[in-house]
Amino acid sequence: AEHQHARYNPLRDDWVLVSAHRVKRPWQGQLEKPPPEDVPRWDPNNPLCPGATRANGEVNPQYEGTFVFPNDFPALQPDAPEPDDSDHPLFQAAPARGVCKVMCFHPWSDLTLPLMSLPEIRAVIDAWAELATELGASYPWVQIFENKGAMMGCSNPHPHCQVWASSFLPNEARLEDRTQCQYLSQHGVPMLLEYAEQEARRKERLVVENADWLVVVPYWATWPYQTLLLPRRHVCRLQDLSDSERDSLASIMQRLLIKYDNLFEVSFPYSMGWHGAPTGPYLGEDCRHWQLHAHYYPPLLRSATVRKFMVGYEMLAQAQRDLTPEQAAERLRSLPEVHYK
């Protein structure tokens, strides 16, 4: 807790430098602007609101729950042409096709996930699973992710996420596929299944838990209050969850996100996303090495206005953090589970 050391991340096959003493240094750097507290519940000019007109001229329905529609500015399209053949190994290109969708969580713009009811969060989980099934029928990777807050690049305060399905396995997916496959072959058990069992027993990095799930600040965490959401049983994909596991997932997500908001009494920014076994052509393959999990990457470090920057050493050498995962977990664990609002 007092001396610098490096920790190994078996999921990414890399290392993070932990320098806990550096959190005591005075801060004279950039201060972030807290998120606005006066977001209107409905704004006719907000393209994600019910009844609003989007950039392509389409009018949203008067939806009352979740609402899924094609991204008007997709990063991936299904009919992109093949790139030209390379004439040199240092100049390679490959096909990249897919579809991008946006999913609104709720019709109200001023409601984030931690402020939603359990049935409303459960509806989000069901919609995620439906999209994973639908797009995963043909695409090898379906990435569900939420960028929350302007600090994480979110351009619209309305509660929503994105779902990108791709014709290829992205870098993080390929890396986790390799490391989990190697771990299973060497140890005879899925990596993250054993990791969840170990963390449930040790408890020093545990944030919240219930009968089906646990949330930890991972031993190898990079971001200050990064967390990892894990099921207790072996499950490969989001769509494989039972009804009771989806209910308990809604509960533990709500508990975690309330703690996040309570940490600095602010609508807590983060990027989160689900990782599970590849789909499409991989549905018929042996994917036992995979364990479903969700990553939460929040940028805030000391307060609602001081964030962690990944620059300098982090960009040119390796990741570094300024407080131990155990300290972060203890602070999150001790927070109340009633929202500060």
Side-chain angles (χ1 to χ4, degrees):
E2 297 295 330
H3 302 285
Q4 69 267 18
H5 60 280
R7 296 192 184 190
Y8 180 62
N9 181 346
L11 196 57
R12 300 196 75 258
D13 189 24
D14 63 11
W15 293 79
V16 57
L17 175 62
V18 182
S19 310
H21 56 286
R22 276 171 52 84
V23 79
K24 300 174 183 176
R25 73 191 193 280
W27 181 261
Q28 295 181 329
Q30 179 174 325
L31 298 179
E32 304 295 333
K33 184 179 179 181
E37 296 282 346
D38 57 347
V39 176
R41 179 155 292 181
W42 184 82
D43 180 356
N45 296 315
N46 186 328
L48 298 187
C49 282
T53 302
R54 302 203 309 273
N56 63 359
E58 292 190 22
V59 178
N60 295 334
Q62 295 291 341
Y63 65 92
E64 297 180 351
T66 60
F67 170 51
V68 179
F69 62 92
N71 194 315
D72 297 327
F73 303 96
L76 292 164
Q77 295 177 323
D79 54 358
E82 295 274 342
D84 294 335
D85 291 335
S86 174
D87 62 355
H88 194 280
L90 294 178
F91 302 93
Q92 297 186 48
R97 299 185 180 92
V99 296
C100 298
K101 293 182 180 289
V102 176
M103 187 182 112
C104 296
F105 296 153
H106 196 279
W108 295 355
S109 292
D110 60 341
L111 208 61
T112 56
L113 278 171
L115 295 172
M116 289 167 58
S117 69
L118 288 177
E120 288 168 339
I121 300 173
R122 167 65 195 266
V124 170
I125 293 166
D126 287 340
W128 281 342
E130 289 171 13
L131 283 170
T133 301
E134 172 194 338
L135 298 174
S138 53
Y139 286 102
W141 191 255
V142 180
Q143 183 59 65
I144 298 167
F145 66 97
E146 179 194 4
N147 294 324
K148 179 171 178 270
M151 199 180 300
M152 296 308 289
C154 183
S155 59
N156 192 309
H158 194 93
H160 72 285
C161 72
Q162 297 188 54
V163 183
W164 294 10
S166 61
S167 61
F168 55 91
L169 289 187
N171 293 343
E172 293 296 312
R174 285 191 291 109
L175 183 56
E176 289 194 3
D177 186 64
R178 175 176 63 81
T179 57
Q180 290 180 96
C181 188
Q182 289 174 345
Y183 194 93
L184 179 65
S185 66
Q186 293 171 6
H187 301 280
V189 62
M191 177 199 295
L192 292 181
L193 181 63
E194 181 170 13
Y195 180 67
E197 292 172 351
Q198 287 287 325
E199 289 288 32
R201 181 173 60 83
R202 296 170 187 254
K203 296 192 180 301
E204 58 188 329
R205 285 169 294 276
L206 191 65
V207 178
V208 286
E209 64 178 330
N210 60 26
D212 300 313
W213 301 87
L214 69 157
V215 175
V216 300
V217 177
Y219 177 79
W220 52 80
T222 299
W223 294 90
Y225 292 96
Q226 175 181 335
T227 54
L228 185 63
L229 172 57
L230 294 162
R232 292 184 184 272
R233 78 169 176 97
H234 186 207
V235 54
C236 290
R237 300 179 177 93
L238 190 65
Q239 52 268 46
D240 298 334
L241 296 174
S242 67
D243 278 346
S244 62
E245 286 170 331
R246 295 183 187 196
D247 284 339
S248 57
L249 174 57
S251 173
I252 204 164
M253 283 176 54
Q254 185 188 62
R255 293 169 64 196
L256 169 66
L257 297 180
I258 286 174
K259 284 179 177 289
Y260 269 162
D261 280 9
N262 285 346
L263 179 61
F264 298 129
E265 295 195 348
V266 69
S267 184
F268 205 70
Y270 58 75
S271 284
M272 72 80 64
W274 285 99
H275 282 173
T279 49
Y282 295 88
L283 289 171
E285 296 191 6
D286 183 2
C287 291
R288 287 176 301 156
H289 54 289
W290 271 92
Q291 173 75 330
L292 176 70
H293 58 282
H295 296 282
Y296 284 84
Y297 298 129
L300 294 179
L301 173 59
R302 303 182 186 208
S303 69
T305 60
V306 177
R307 68 183 296 188
K308 165 70 176 177
F309 287 92
M310 292 292 182
V311 295
Y313 191 86
E314 291 91 348
M315 295 175 70
L316 297 165
Q318 70 179 35
Q320 180 269 335
R321 60 179 291 120
D322 289 348
L323 76 165
T324 69
E326 294 75 26
Q327 291 166 336
E330 182 180 11
R331 187 164 182 190
L332 289 172
R333 189 168 54 243
S334 66
L335 291 167
E337 295 185 10
V338 175
H339 200 278
Y340 74 93
K341 284 190 174 181

